Amino acid sequence: NMRAFGTKISSNQQRGHELSERMRDGIIGVVESGASTREAAEQFGTSQRNVQRTIKRWNETSSNTSRPRSGRPPVLSHRQRRLLLRIAKRFPKIEYQQL
């Protein structure tokens, strides 16, 4: 029971969601092979505007990767957070300053 490329696996995607890099690749390929943006949007289960933005970014930058987000970077790395959680679970009464 194989799915066609670009078929929605689940409908958990939210409105205004970010497209995966794989999905953007598929959209670019379908549109460059002659499909309209509307047809591509229907095929990939996204809005026509999303398809248009993806094509525009591809034409301007020749890249479909996500751009870096603005904002403050995380204070702790993922590894440091895991370590703190492990310590807190092991010693539930430990005080904040002792961590």
Side-chain angles (χ1 to χ4, degrees):
N1 188 7
M2 291 289 292
R3 289 189 176 101
F5 178 78
T7 307
K8 252 200 225 182
I9 294 174
S10 77
S11 52
N12 290 337
Q13 291 180 337
Q14 297 174 345
R15 184 175 177 86
H17 65 280
E18 181 177 1
L19 299 176
S20 69
E21 209 168 309
R22 186 174 177 184
M23 190 180 268
R24 283 185 234 137
D25 284 337
I27 288 171
I28 292 164
V30 165
V31 172
E32 284 188 344
S33 68
S36 70
T37 55
R38 194 182 99 239
E39 291 167 345
E42 288 174 8
Q43 181 177 342
F44 288 93
T46 189
S47 68
Q48 186 174 0
R49 184 69 187 124
N50 243 345
V51 172
Q52 291 167 344
R53 250 186 258 121
T54 300
I55 298 301
K56 181 179 178 190
R57 185 185 311 162
W58 173 252
N59 289 335
E60 289 174 355
T61 65
S62 298
S63 171
N64 69 349
T65 56
S66 296
R67 289 178 282 199
R69 301 287 193 276
S70 64
R72 179 180 177 170
V75 175
L76 299 175
S77 70
H78 182 68
R79 192 174 189 177
Q80 291 169 327
R81 283 187 54 142
R82 277 195 354 243
L83 175 64
L84 284 177
L85 287 172
R86 226 175 24 248
I87 292 171
K89 283 180 183 176
R90 190 166 180 200
F91 305 104
K93 296 190 180 199
I94 194 169
E95 292 184 14
Y96 176 75
Q97 290 181 346
Q98 291 176 324
L99 276 174

